[in-house]
Amino acid sequence: MAKDVLVLSYSGCGTCKKALKWLQEQGVTHQVRPIVDMPPTVAELKQWIARSGVSVRKWLNTSGQSYRALGKPKVDAASDAELVEWLAADGKLVKRPVLVTGDTVLVGFKPEAYEQLFASRG
């Protein structure tokens, strides 16, 4: 049974390039959505954060310019709801890539997590 695979990616992101290369090498059909031009909506984020199994703070690209512009003290003081709003407003603030398929959402690229996910696809 083929699942739809959506990857939110940024063309200038080395980690995104590695993830897309991995998917291509494994023959995983996927759709790419440019995260900067079309960042996840608040509604998508609320669903995806819950399905990812990690906190909203793990969704932050802490090494990016957008994060540095906000500053750690401001981020630390923000509520989860505020963080979701910020993530939806700025795709560069989101840790990349974001892979969405079925009930699974993966944030960032760990080859072992991708292998585990797609090995169980059947």
Side-chain angles (χ1 to χ4, degrees):
M1 173 178 91
K3 295 181 192 171
D4 290 328
V5 177
L6 173 65
V7 181
L8 282 78
S9 175
Y10 173 55
S11 60
C13 168
T15 306
C16 294
K17 290 176 186 173
K18 288 178 193 170
L20 294 172
K21 182 178 182 208
W22 188 95
L23 291 167
Q24 187 175 8
E25 287 174 350
Q26 303 304 313
V28 176
T29 305
H30 58 280
Q31 201 178 8
V32 176
R33 179 166 135 192
I35 197 166
V36 175
D37 300 332
M38 298 172 57
T41 65
V42 170
E44 286 173 331
L45 284 164
K46 287 179 179 177
Q47 285 183 356
W48 294 348
I49 290 167
R51 289 175 14 203
S52 73
V54 296
S55 75
V56 65
R57 293 179 187 280
K58 297 279 186 193
W59 281 68
L60 294 167
N61 175 13
T62 57
S63 60
Q65 289 179 341
S66 293
Y67 180 87
R68 286 196 295 274
L70 284 170
K72 187 173 178 351
K74 184 173 180 179
V75 172
D76 287 348
S79 69
D80 286 0
E82 283 177 301
L83 292 175
V84 168
E85 293 284 341
W86 295 347
L87 290 166
D90 183 356
K92 286 191 175 179
L93 189 56
V94 181
K95 184 173 183 170
R96 306 173 297 260
V98 177
L99 184 143
V100 182
T101 181
D103 290 334
T104 304
V105 177
L106 299 177
V107 184
F109 175 60
K110 293 188 176 92
E112 58 277 9
Y114 275 46
E115 285 169 19
Q116 186 177 11
L117 174 62
F118 292 107
S120 64
R121 284 185 64 170

